[in-house]
Amino acid sequence: MVGVPRSSGCQLCRKRRVKCDEARPGCGNCRKYGAECPGYERGIKFVSGKHQIRQRGKRSDNEGSVASGSSNSSAGSVTPPGEPSPPGADTLVKSLRPNRAEFIGTIIATVRTNITQSDVSGFLSWVDLGRLGSRAVLDGAMSSLAMHLVGKERADEDMIAYSRSVYGKSLVALQTSLRHETEWRSSETLCAAMLLCVFELFAGTTSSDSWLAHAKGIGTLMKERGPAAHATGWDASMILAFRGVLIMCDMFFPQSDVCFLSLPEWKPIIKDGGRHLIHPQEQPDRVIHIVDNFFECLAELPAILAPAYVLRESRAMGTVHEPGPEKVAALAQRALRCRELFAQWYRDFKTLNVMPEEVPTQDPSSPFALVLQYRVLWIGSMHMGYWASMLILQDALVQFRYLELDSEEQARRDELVRNILRSLETVGSGTMGPYRVGFAVRIAYEVASPEHQRWVLTLLDRFNKTYAATDRATYPEPKPEENVEWELLD
């Protein structure tokens, strides 16, 4: 109808074609019906040329692609925050035009430009950018994650809402690819699945731990593809980048008695071995070998953690059915071997000049006057991973009746917990911080003092703004003060 202006209401009201009161931060209709108001902006506007007016009923050959203008025009730019942007999720996911790669490349460049203080120089380096623009499932997954990271860093709620819209459509595209007779084996499908799982780690979807179910599915997909499919090239880079997430999934969501990455046929696959597949070329081979050995040790933990956890929880509830003495002895020996492997690894790790220094805290709420600061943040993350692993092994040996939690062992436990908690302020900083510390803080929380548990919960509220996997709802309530000694000595 001529003369009727386009609606400026929220995205949901425009979609439903109802009048919007345009209230801020959420409109009245969304509040009334209990819906999350998606906001008023229209996502990201990709500009690569001058606007052209065409006659009614005519359609240019290039229309339908993400970028406006001709396909051979120069790369455009992302609209600055605050400017209106049209919705484009359908086009992004469904269009197979090659200049969609320019759009996605611009978003990725924005990620690397905006998240300068988050130690993400190597994050997403395993994505083969040359594959972008050819498969919609990969393009949508890449865009959803990249836009979400930038949106979180800029505190841009409209970009975050748009990233969720693209995520939803990309998930449908992924399900279609996985059902395809041959496409399920493709590298692009695997990469899209991994990117959407990482999206869930940061964004949360139906629940804060939805990433666990998704990671479980990725593990199944990798096993179906087989070790040889991940031995070289891009596929090798992907499994190296995702090995930590796969191991974490098996710790908290075990699928079998052992993590599949600890099996003989998979052990060589999760080692870079100096190929520099996910490491900078200037990284010494010795450093890469030490990092590889850490993940080899870590892959042994799920087989120890699962039975130890069952014993601890069943004893706490008074429903324990002790396994036979031979099985308990075998589990204890496995835990001892794993502990020695970690101890040897840590001795090698310390030769890299990676020890932290103590610095005054900058956090007024911190219970520690001095915190640990690291030369490089990923080094701090590996320290924390080692300390958390040693906590797991100590508790396992207690549950397997090999160790008594006497004053000496209690002092070791307290030191490990203290080291992890004193690292949170520095290693947990920035957009990627919660990703680096999530595993270690979850383990330390279980045996921390009530005072420290309450402090950790306040940090989780802060972390959860950028990293959904640290949702405090997945943590138990702090222990009462009077029960601390009884629980630690149980």
Side-chain angles (χ1 to χ4, degrees):
M1 182 180 298
V2 177
V4 178
R6 292 187 65 186
S7 170
S8 57
C10 81
Q11 297 176 31
L12 191 56
C13 287
R14 289 202 302 268
K15 180 178 179 181
R16 293 175 173 173
R17 298 190 178 185
V18 297
K19 185 176 180 180
C20 180
D21 62 9
E22 301 183 36
R24 307 277 175 163
C27 78
N29 287 334
C30 290
R31 288 199 306 272
K32 179 179 178 180
Y33 294 104
E36 181 179 352
C37 188
Y40 301 92
E41 300 296 339
R42 302 194 178 188
I44 289 180
K45 183 179 182 180
F46 185 76
V47 181
S48 61
K50 293 183 178 179
H51 177 66
Q52 297 180 353
I53 300 176
R54 62 178 174 82
Q55 296 179 1
R56 182 185 296 272
K58 293 186 178 180
R59 186 179 183 87
S60 66
D61 292 337
N62 295 318
E63 193 170 343
S65 62
V66 173
S68 61
S70 64
S71 59
N72 59 0
S73 61
S74 60
S77 59
V78 177
T79 303
E83 293 190 22
S85 306
D90 286 326
T91 305
L92 179 63
V93 173
K94 294 179 181 177
S95 169
L96 290 176
R97 300 299 179 106
N99 60 348
R100 191 175 64 231
E102 297 176 359
F103 172 78
I104 300 164
T106 303
I107 295 174
I108 296 171
T110 306
V111 172
R112 290 172 174 165
T113 300
N114 281 267
I115 313 182
T116 56
Q117 300 178 353
S118 305
D119 191 35
V120 293
S121 57
F123 191 69
L124 303 181
S125 62
W126 48 273
V127 179
D128 186 347
L129 301 183
R131 305 291 186 102
L132 296 174
S134 62
R135 278 184 171 84
V137 62
L138 175 58
D139 297 346
M142 182 75 255
S143 296
S144 64
L145 176 59
M147 286 190 291
H148 193 84
L149 292 175
V150 174
K152 287 285 182 69
E153 184 74 8
R154 292 180 174 180
D156 186 336
E157 293 299 324
D158 298 313
M159 185 177 287
I160 292 171
Y162 184 67
S163 74
R164 291 182 181 275
S165 175
V166 177
Y167 161 82
K169 295 176 184 298
S170 301
L171 198 59
V172 173
L174 174 62
Q175 292 167 346
T176 301
S177 296
L178 290 172
R179 288 193 294 266
H180 192 273
E181 184 178 358
T182 58
E183 194 66 18
W184 70 271
R185 291 181 177 272
S186 74
S187 303
E188 288 83 357
T189 297
L190 175 62
C191 186
M194 290 168 55
L195 289 168
L196 293 177
C197 182
V198 176
F199 180 95
E200 290 163 355
L201 280 166
F202 282 91
T205 49
T206 54
S207 67
S208 57
D209 58 355
S210 58
W211 69 272
L212 279 170
H214 197 140
K216 177 182 177 182
I218 292 170
T220 300
L221 176 60
M222 287 182 171
K223 285 185 283 187
E224 289 295 321
R225 295 174 91 232
H230 307 88
T232 59
W234 184 24
D235 299 87
S237 300
M238 286 192 281
I239 196 169
L240 290 174
F242 215 63
R243 54 192 169 180
V245 174
L246 292 171
I247 295 169
M248 294 305 105
C249 176
D250 259 15
M251 283 190 190
F252 302 114
F253 203 153
Q255 302 181 60
S256 61
D257 291 340
V258 298
C259 175
F260 78 96
L261 295 181
S262 69
L263 298 175
E265 62 269 28
W266 285 95
K267 277 189 176 183
I269 304 301
I270 62 169
K271 290 188 175 184
D272 182 289
R275 292 176 290 174
H276 294 83
L277 292 172
I278 60 172
H279 298 277
Q281 288 300 317
E282 63 272 15
Q283 189 79 276
D285 287 355
R286 182 165 173 270
V287 174
I288 295 175
H289 287 307
I290 289 176
V291 173
D292 285 344
N293 289 340
F294 173 78
F295 286 102
E296 183 177 11
C297 293
L298 201 66
E300 299 292 333
L301 278 184
I304 299 166
L305 175 62
Y309 177 80
V310 170
L311 275 173
R312 178 159 65 92
E313 293 301 303
S314 60
R315 283 172 181 154
M317 294 185 292
T319 59
V320 63
H321 295 285
E322 292 281 355
E326 292 184 359
K327 182 175 182 179
V328 172
L331 288 169
Q333 288 302 311
R334 185 167 197 159
L336 285 169
R337 287 194 300 270
C338 190
R339 187 170 68 166
E340 179 51 40
L341 286 174
F342 267 110
Q344 180 58 54
W345 174 84
Y346 197 56
R347 288 191 287 270
D348 295 338
F349 182 57
K350 288 191 291 185
T351 64
L352 300 177
N353 189 25
V354 294
M355 299 310 292
E357 62 175 329
E358 291 185 326
V359 298
T361 181
Q362 302 299 312
D363 182 358
S365 68
S366 175
F368 306 104
L370 296 175
V371 297
L372 300 181
Q373 180 173 280
Y374 301 85
R375 181 167 47 87
V376 182
L377 292 176
W378 71 262
I379 288 176
S381 182
M382 298 205 78
H383 275 285
M384 296 176 72
Y386 164 76
W387 293 325
S389 300
M390 295 304 277
L391 281 173
I392 290 172
L393 290 167
Q394 183 196 53
D395 183 70
L397 288 169
V398 170
Q399 300 306 325
F400 300 150
R401 306 299 193 194
Y402 184 88
L403 281 181
E404 290 290 337
L405 198 59
D406 55 21
S407 58
E408 184 179 349
E409 288 297 328
Q410 183 63 57
R412 286 181 184 149
R413 172 182 285 188
D414 291 344
E415 182 182 8
L416 292 169
V417 172
R418 184 178 175 84
N419 286 343
I420 291 172
L421 298 185
R422 288 205 298 153
S423 301
L424 290 177
E425 183 175 328
T426 55
V427 185
S429 61
T431 301
M432 298 298 299
Y435 180 80
R436 288 189 293 266
V437 305
F439 162 61
V441 72
R442 185 65 182 86
I443 300 301
Y445 180 89
E446 288 289 330
V447 292
S449 68
E451 175 195 0
H452 290 158
Q453 284 185 326
R454 288 191 292 271
W455 175 68
V456 167
L457 291 180
T458 65
L459 290 183
L460 296 182
D461 291 335
R462 191 187 313 165
F463 289 163
N464 192 241
K465 294 177 181 178
T466 58
Y467 192 65
T470 53
D471 186 358
R472 67 183 292 168
T474 63
Y475 282 60
E477 288 296 318
K479 298 186 288 286
E481 293 282 353
E482 61 273 13
N483 290 342
V484 176
E485 183 178 356
W486 181 86
E487 290 190 14
L488 289 176
L489 296 177
D490 182 31

